[in-house]
Amino acid sequence: MRIEDIKDPTFLKDLSYQELDVLASDIRKYILETVSEHGGHLSSNLGVVELTIALHRVFNAPIDKILFDVGHQTYTHKILTGRANEFKESLRKFNGLAGYQKINESEYDCMEAGHSSTSISIASGMALARDLNKENYNVVAVCGDASIVSGLSLEAMNCLGNQNNKVIIIFNDNEMAISKPTGGIHNMLNKIRGNYKYQNKKNGLKRLLTKYKLTKWIYKLFKWIKNSIKSLFYQSNIFEDLSLQYLGPYDGHNIKSLEKVFKSAIKMDESVVIHVRTKKGKGYEYAENDKEGNWHGVGPFNLKTGQSKVKNDKEVISWSECISSHLHSNMKVNKDIIAITPAMITGSKLNKVFKDYSDRSIDVGINEEHAVTFASGLALNHKLPYLCIYSTFMQRSYDNLNHDVARMNLPMVIGVDRAGLVGEDGDTHHGIYDVEITKGLRNSVIAMPYDYLDAKNIMNLAFNSNKLFFIRYPRGNVSINDYSNFSKELTLGKWECLNEGSGEITLISTGPITKNVKELIQSKYPRTNLLFARFYKPFDYELLLKYCKTSKKIIVYDVYSTKYGLYDDICNFLIENKLNPEVINLTLPNTNIGHGSIDELLTNLNLDINSLNKYLGD
């Protein structure tokens, strides 16, 4: 069968194991060819090909609900559910197939997520609703080793262990083992527990003995004896301590073995964790040997050499690398700075920081809330924490920022990575809400740099401010040689006038795109006043008042936030000062924005540079 001819996963039930292995190889090749052209999440998808095939062979989706945690490992799932053609042609492209699960894309996508560790909580709710409705289907949550130890996953499993609503959890372990299996006794017990005939008899005995009050104590005695004997030979693990059944570990690339244990799990009456071991990047040498996560998310690359197809300009670096380099310089001078990240060392380009200052660099895992409160403990003990976190992930830690940092007026610098639109990752990853979330925090400062040098000066100011200081920076690149003429010694809250016009229009812009705005205005609309709003908070009220007094039109151009960022505060300022110019709102809409390149998205939203032309001029 051609991959493109797959309509739904029902055909899997008719294939032999040999044919399934061939299919797995074909799908893996299909994924490699597609991602090498379009970019996307590679290693995680190469690692779950056989696991996904086994899931769709045993379970009957979409009646059975299969939830993939985060969703960046669903490429095989999309292919098996009839989306191969769209996958090949439009993966992560504007108006094309999403890189994650999307409910409106297929009936097989029963949830959406871009943040990790949500699958078990959602699955638990689905299972309760199923049972209340007296329906009969399986709920399966596929959760990785990094996601399953996150706080939300642990909370969900702790609750699930006390529920009677069965969920099957597939623990996809591609890096570490929670339980250390040893010896023949372990193997024997594992073989018995993975046998569906055994599970049938076990469940039948349980139902019989717990049916009557008289025999309940016999069941409890048998269970106690069994667990006591088992504890002599079998090491306990966190899942069993949470009152969840545990099966595994199993080879996540052996479809026959996976099929057997999945069928066994279906026969069980209680929630169960099936521990499978997979190889991240399987089938592609460069991804298999990757120890730093460089092949997790990739751009287009040469399939044979593994080299990126994107031209490398030594004078241009990513904004993440820019901020990381300035952090490195500050850590060299100030021994009290502690770098913290929630599992994004590679994504935020912190590799050199973690290598050179390993004793002062902490990866707390996918635990954003803990990252903030952990940092507050450092601040309370006279250290200066720097937390590097994606804007979209920082949303999870609002209460910690408010209660554990701002309330106690603790100094902390937070690098808000991926502020604004992020492009192909789409609506779950766009960083458009952090300003409205953080500007209400007492004593907080929010800044966004103009260029490489401005970022350096902002960071120096932040580490000397003794405040909760947010530095926003976008996904994209910055030239290391394109310096502004701004003063090195920045003043907190100080904006810049980049074009002193003689007209009655004032345009207020923020972030790196302001450089392009400046070029447009100086070449075509020199009479327009251009203000660079370096700080979302505090405002440069003196500069704002100076130009707003004489302007008949105020244009607020902020492609990194919604109207609840700059625009609302400027409108409030105008009202308070009894000024009544026309105010044009050119900010991101407060809605789900799809995926595609950042330029495509801005053009579609009429927020690209060219769209300014209709509002400028006298």
Side-chain angles (χ1 to χ4, degrees), residues 74-268:
T74 54
Y75 292 178
T76 301
H77 166 75
K78 287 175 181 277
I79 290 169
L80 292 175
T81 52
R83 288 172 273 178
N85 284 300
E86 295 96 323
F87 179 82
K88 188 77 170 180
E89 299 299 324
S90 67
L91 177 66
R92 290 159 49 92
K93 288 185 177 181
F94 183 63
N95 287 333
L97 201 71
Y100 299 84
Q101 297 163 102
K102 296 293 290 184
I103 291 174
N104 63 0
E105 192 177 278
S106 171
E107 62 179 339
Y108 290 92
D109 292 359
C110 58
M111 66 168 282
E112 293 184 11
H115 299 180
S116 85
S117 313
T118 62
S119 65
I120 302 175
S121 290
I122 294 174
S124 300
M126 282 185 170
L128 174 58
R130 172 201 63 200
D131 296 345
L132 289 173
N133 292 336
K134 301 190 184 309
E135 296 170 328
N136 183 24
Y137 57 84
N138 295 292
V139 180
V140 184
V142 183
C143 194
D145 51 5
S147 297
I148 209 163
V149 295
S150 176
L152 183 57
S153 289
L154 293 175
E155 290 172 20
M157 287 190 291
N158 182 54
C159 184
L160 186 60
N162 292 309
Q163 288 180 229
N164 293 320
N165 313 108
K166 180 185 169 185
V167 171
I168 297 173
I169 300 171
I170 310 297
F171 165 37
N172 177 29
D173 178 6
N174 55 35
E175 187 175 353
M176 55 175 280
I178 289 180
S179 174
K180 185 178 179 181
T182 57
I185 295 294
H186 160 79
N187 295 330
M188 180 191 72
L189 289 173
N190 193 49
K191 183 176 180 182
I192 292 173
R193 296 166 75 207
N195 187 293
Y196 74 93
K197 290 182 180 179
Y198 161 74
Q199 294 298 340
N200 270 340
K201 293 177 181 178
K202 174 187 170 185
N203 292 334
L205 181 63
K206 177 183 176 182
R207 285 191 292 269
L208 177 63
L209 293 180
T210 56
K211 188 175 182 181
Y212 305 103
K213 289 184 179 180
L214 184 63
T215 54
K216 271 188 179 181
W217 72 271
I218 300 176
Y219 170 76
K220 290 180 180 179
L221 177 63
F222 282 173
K223 187 175 182 179
W224 178 82
I225 293 172
K226 182 202 75 170
N227 290 337
S228 297
I229 294 173
K230 184 182 74 172
S231 66
L232 296 174
F233 304 103
Y234 190 80
Q235 184 176 343
S236 179
N237 59 55
I238 188 172
F239 304 119
E240 293 182 326
D241 290 340
L242 291 171
S243 301
L244 299 171
Q245 294 293 315
Y246 171 81
L247 302 174
Y250 291 88
D251 181 358
H253 302 294
N254 186 321
I255 296 175
K256 185 176 182 179
S257 175
L258 292 173
E259 180 181 4
K260 185 176 181 180
V261 70
F262 291 169
K263 287 181 177 179
S264 176
I266 291 173
K267 299 292 183 180
M268 299 173 70

